[in-house]
Amino acid sequence: MIRPRRNRKSPAVRALVRETTLSASDFIYPLFVHDKDVDEAIESMPGCTRWSLAGLVREAGEAHALGIPAVVIFPAIADALKTSGAEECYNNSGLVPRTIKALKAAHPTLCVITDVALDPYNADGHDGLVRADAKGELEIVNDETVEVLCLQALCHARAGADIVSPSDMMDGRVEAIRTTLDSEGHPDVSILAYTAKYASAFYGPFRGALESAPKAGDKKTYQMDPANSREAIRETLLDEDEGADMIMVKPAGPYLDIIAQVRETTTLPVAAYQVSGEYLMIKAASQDGWLDEKAVVLESLTGIKRAGADIILTYFAKDAAKWL
Ligand code: PBG
């Protein structure tokens, strides 16, 4: 008789037939930084911290020692520095360049990734520049934004970033950033493109962490409609063509079908971002003991990897690396 259970009969046999394994080397650890001397708990993301520069360097070092190869930095910018032109995003002595330099000095083998988008710096809270159109309605302008994103990416590259990661969803930005980096002497800086980034309600806690929510309107004219999957294929083909080194799907858990389709579409490495809302759901449910946090975290990450992700961005990276 054919008995599938024979392949599940012991831990040893299960280990032999296991198709997906998680490892600390799969993770990118997102870290929040602010320009203050104190480490501050983030109310909207229990267990996460807005780090001081020194705190962030320490945390990144602990994560790296656990086998995590990379961190991605998200800055909380003081309100006084936010403008409608988001100029602070390419200030060479700004918070992000200083963070990159401190991280590379303390941990030379750590891969430092930066987020390229205007929302932390933009008085409007949008990822792109906001202008009134002829009718007086607000629009997020594409091509002018891309010019600023190129300045931002270049600023990060000059400070020593290994990978820049455009999360803004403007058209044509991967090619523009690639061209800028190449012509300015940074051909080795990689681009991890947020390729299929959906207009998701699961980003809410993150916007709380950075106080970066849009002041007016939503992000639906640039981030993708959660109802669409063919569009993710289109974006993947475009970003690959424009010179992306890695492709990202975001969020991860509710978009496993997209991860699987993108995996089939490209030979590039595929990353998936388990976003703040996914983190918060597991955190909140485990705080009261309703869910077993460790088991659920590892299962959710295994599912993301099984769907086809090579790389996972997760706020659980450090915990998961310890548990593994
Ligand atoms: C903004 C950005 C967002 C996230 C990463 N980069 C928020 C947004 O697009 O509104 C979300 C990450 C998360 O929710 O964990 N460019």
Side-chain angles (χ1 to χ4, degrees):
M1 190 178 163
I2 294 172
R3 292 183 184 273
R5 285 184 56 188
R6 278 194 291 266
N7 281 351
R8 304 175 201 140
K9 67 185 171 190
S10 67
V13 171
R14 289 196 295 276
L16 283 178
V17 303
R18 186 162 298 129
E19 299 173 35
T20 308
T21 47
L22 275 180
S23 121
S25 62
D26 300 328
F27 302 140
I28 296 174
Y29 189 23
L31 290 170
F32 299 100
V33 65
H34 63 179
D35 217 344
K36 296 183 188 168
D37 292 333
V38 287
D39 302 325
E40 226 168 58
I42 298 174
E43 217 173 300
S44 60
M45 297 176 67
C48 289
T49 304
R50 256 184 310 267
W51 298 101
S52 62
L53 203 46
L56 179 128
V57 168
R58 196 179 340 105
E59 178 71 4
E62 287 177 19
H64 196 36
L66 289 166
I68 296 170
V71 298
V72 58
I73 308 164
F74 292 105
I77 301 297
D79 272 342
L81 295 174
K82 298 186 183 187
T83 57
S84 59
E87 286 86 355
E88 178 64 16
C89 80
Y90 52 87
N91 174 359
N92 288 322
S93 41
L95 179 58
V96 167
R98 277 184 280 128
T99 305
I100 299 167
K101 285 179 194 157
L103 281 171
K104 293 305 290 186
H107 315 299
T109 59
L110 178 70
C111 172
V112 175
I113 306 176
T114 59
D115 193 68
V116 174
L118 306 188
D119 49 324
Y121 308 91
N122 196 338
D124 305 294
H126 276 286
D127 293 24
L129 300 172
V130 180
R131 300 275 183 265
D133 67 10
K135 284 186 247 148
E137 277 175 46
L138 295 183
E139 68 173 327
I140 288 61
V141 291
N142 195 90
D143 299 5
E144 290 168 52
T145 298
V146 170
E147 288 176 25
V148 183
L149 297 171
C150 287
L151 296 175
Q152 184 181 22
L154 183 58
C155 164
H156 296 173
R158 284 185 175 140
D162 298 289
I163 302 179
V164 294
S165 192
S167 69
D168 55 284
M169 290 301 279
M170 297 300 121
D171 293 333
R173 91 282 206 208
V174 171
E175 182 170 30
I177 291 172
R178 184 71 270 153
T179 304
T180 302
L181 293 175
D182 288 352
S183 64
E184 296 291 332
H186 301 284
D188 294 334
V189 173
S190 324
I191 300 178
L192 164 57
Y194 286 68
T195 294
K197 177 172 178 179
Y198 286 87
S200 171
F202 286 96
Y203 307 150
F206 173 97
R207 294 178 190 168
L210 296 187
E211 292 177 15
S212 62
K215 296 284 188 294
D218 52 42
K219 300 193 174 185
K220 291 179 183 168
T221 66
Y222 46 107
Q223 299 181 348
M224 286 172 49
D225 184 339
N228 293 354
S229 64
R230 290 193 301 268
E231 208 178 330
I233 309 290
R234 187 178 189 211
E235 288 283 6
T236 301
L237 295 172
L238 277 171
D239 280 359
E240 186 167 337
D241 215 45
E242 290 184 32
D245 299 286
M246 303 170 188
I247 298 291
M248 196 196 301
V249 175
K250 177 186 178 184
Y255 295 81
L256 295 180
D257 57 323
I258 307 297
I259 297 174
Q261 289 180 55
V262 167
R263 171 70 292 154
E264 292 298 308
T265 304
T266 181
T267 56
L268 293 176
V270 175
Y273 198 146
Q274 183 180 55
V275 300
S276 56
E278 300 176 73
Y279 169 84
L280 186 66
M281 287 197 301
I282 295 176
K283 255 312 192 220
S286 352
Q287 260 176 0
D288 288 335
W290 286 351
L291 283 179
D292 174 345
E293 181 175 6
K294 174 179 166 183
V296 170
V297 166
L298 294 177
E299 185 177 332
S300 68
L301 297 173
T302 301
I304 293 165
K305 196 155 177 214
R306 188 195 61 237
D310 305 290
I311 302 165
I312 306 174
L313 295 89
T314 173
Y315 302 98
F316 290 115
K318 196 174 164 211
D319 287 337
K322 276 188 209 154
W323 294 330
L324 293 166

